[in-house]
Amino acid sequence: MTAHKTFHIEFIGEKTIPIEEGESVLDAALKAGIPHYHTCGGHARCSTCRILVSKGKEHLSAINDKEAALREQLTFPSNVRLACQTFVENAPVSIHRIIRDVSDVDLYIDQSENDFSELGEEKELVLFFLDIRDFTPFMEAYLAFDVIHILRKLFGICRTCIEAGGGKIIETAGDGLYAVFGLRCSPETAAMNAIESGFAIFKELENFNRDYVQKYFRHRFQIGIGMHCGNVIVGNVGLGINNNLTVMGLPVNIASRIQSATKDLNNSFLLSNDVLKQAETKDYPSALLTMKGVTDPIQVHLLGEPYYPASVFLLKDKKAENIAAPLT
Ligand code: FES
């Protein structure tokens, strides 16, 4: 008879337990008195036994067909496994139980509509901020219906261009929005796509201004776009609101401030040197931005156009054709 090897597995914050070769992580946990959740009884149907692997992913058994089927349905990140289908083949291995008691279940189950992990993950993303310039005078001059109607159209244009480049809108707030690129592609592709999406938005906005806004509202919208990239924490806080994907970290704040700097630098499209380098695109004129709370100045590149003064655009008493003419 061949003797089974015995390894050890650390349940972080709980205890380290022995696990035999050929024994599932779930079985070992239950044998050691850990109340590991397993609603379906270990048949790869419920996902309540899921674990987050912190160390030793390479020492675990390969994903079997049953686990693969459930993973596909639930879009697990690579460091999440089903304890009932996972075996330890070497050491060291450290894991977290994700669902610890019944109060955790609702946080993680039945969220298969989310298109990204609800678990916290660190990821390199391109952060994309967009703001509509001088929206307040427009809001004051038109009915609430018109304001929302126009915002829907503007954000619709942005959404089409952002999603065409593989980006995802995280949030809209008032007359601005915030999106990320790189959830499902390399940082290099994300940077290239984000820049292309930015240019596509400017082009579509131009058409929208010419064919619709000037015609029906005697107005013309301008926007500011700012981008930065870096490592951020991505996760879903699981309230079921708006898919509730949350992205946090200093790069997010920097991207937002770069967008704000479009006003000071009088250029509609700014991106940090980090994004430009990732995209390996041609060079553009640059400037240095000093930001409170950030040690070194941030080099930004100016890809856009100077703004026209806002007063030119809200001309309700003038002919729409006049508005299209640039200022001299
Ligand atoms: S116990 Fe249900 S999937 Fe593992």
Side-chain angles (χ1 to χ4, degrees):
M1 217 172 86
T2 11
H4 284 302
K5 278 192 201 157
T6 303
F7 304 105
H8 282 86
I9 178 167
E10 181 191 9
F11 279 66
I12 296 168
E14 301 186 81
K15 54 181 170 180
T16 298
I17 61 163
I19 179 166
E20 281 183 31
E21 198 177 20
E23 184 178 37
S24 74
V25 172
L26 174 66
D27 286 342
L30 295 174
K31 203 161 85 184
I34 295 174
H36 202 115
Y37 235 70
H38 59 294
T39 306
C40 74
H43 297 293
R45 287 205 298 266
C46 69
S47 86
T48 54
C49 66
R50 62 180 84 172
I51 50 174
L52 181 68
V53 184
S54 289
K55 198 195 309 174
K57 201 164 75 169
E58 66 284 9
H59 300 322
L60 299 177
S61 57
I63 295 167
N64 64 22
D65 290 349
K66 277 157 101 183
E67 182 175 354
L70 199 65
R71 296 173 71 85
E72 198 182 324
Q73 209 183 322
L74 299 176
T75 59
F76 279 5
S78 61
N79 57 346
V80 170
R81 298 290 308 266
L82 292 181
C84 68
Q85 305 298 316
T86 303
F87 304 85
V88 172
E89 295 176 340
N90 214 333
V93 175
S94 301
I95 59 121
H96 289 270
R97 277 194 301 147
I98 294 175
I99 294 170
R100 301 201 176 203
D101 67 22
V102 70
S103 69
D104 290 339
V105 175
D106 287 346
L107 287 178
Y108 295 101
I109 309 299
D110 294 334
Q111 295 193 20
S112 48
E113 78 277 10
N114 292 327
D115 65 355
F116 198 71
S117 162
E118 66 269 26
L119 303 165
E121 224 183 301
E122 199 171 305
K123 208 155 173 57
E124 187 170 349
L125 297 180
V126 176
L127 299 321
F128 179 110
F129 279 80
L130 180 149
D131 194 58
I132 303 168
R133 283 284 166 276
D134 303 308
F135 198 70
T136 310
F138 179 85
M139 224 164 58
E140 286 165 353
Y142 287 94
L143 297 173
F145 169 82
D146 292 322
V147 171
I148 295 299
H149 173 75
I150 280 291
L151 265 183
R152 276 194 179 164
K153 289 186 84 82
L154 280 167
F155 284 160
I157 289 170
C158 298
R159 182 181 178 175
T160 305
C161 298
I162 287 168
E163 291 184 351
K168 178 173 175 63
I169 295 178
I170 300 296
E171 164 175 295
T172 62
D175 53 8
L177 67 80
Y178 158 36
V180 296
F181 289 77
L183 288 172
R184 307 231 176 264
C185 64
S186 69
E188 296 76 20
T189 307
M192 281 185 296
N193 289 351
I195 294 172
E196 271 175 31
S197 293
F199 280 127
I201 291 173
F202 282 107
K203 188 164 168 260
E204 291 305 318
L205 179 68
E206 194 53 45
N207 296 339
F208 180 55
N209 274 328
R210 187 192 60 230
D211 301 338
Y212 194 91
V213 188
Q214 288 178 191
K215 198 164 147 194
Y216 300 118
F217 293 91
R218 295 183 184 139
H219 191 76
R220 185 182 161 88
F221 288 105
Q222 302 189 96
I223 56 170
I225 294 179
M227 284 190 220
H228 184 50
C229 59
N231 275 325
V232 289
I233 292 171
V234 189
N236 193 307
V237 296
L239 294 179
I241 308 165
N242 204 15
N243 265 349
N244 229 27
L245 191 67
T246 300
V247 180
M248 287 174 290
L250 183 62
V252 179
N253 303 343
I254 294 176
S256 165
R257 289 198 241 166
I258 290 176
Q259 189 288 121
S260 299
T262 54
K263 288 176 216 156
D264 302 331
L265 295 177
N266 191 26
N267 191 284
S268 57
F269 191 3
L270 300 181
L271 49 90
S272 70
N273 193 43
D274 292 354
V275 180
L276 192 89
K277 273 195 316 209
Q278 290 277 30
E280 291 181 4
T281 183
K282 65 172 188 174
D283 217 358
Y284 288 90
S286 69
L288 283 180
L289 284 181
T290 312
M291 293 181 189
K292 212 173 149 196
V294 180
T295 326
D296 296 321
I298 304 275
Q299 188 184 8
V300 292
H301 296 267
L302 288 63
L303 280 65
E305 303 285 335
Y307 289 108
Y308 300 136
S311 55
V312 186
F313 299 128
L314 204 67
L315 300 173
K316 295 188 78 174
D317 55 339
K318 296 198 178 169
K319 284 201 165 169
E321 301 86 83
N322 295 338
I323 305 168
L327 275 186
T328 49

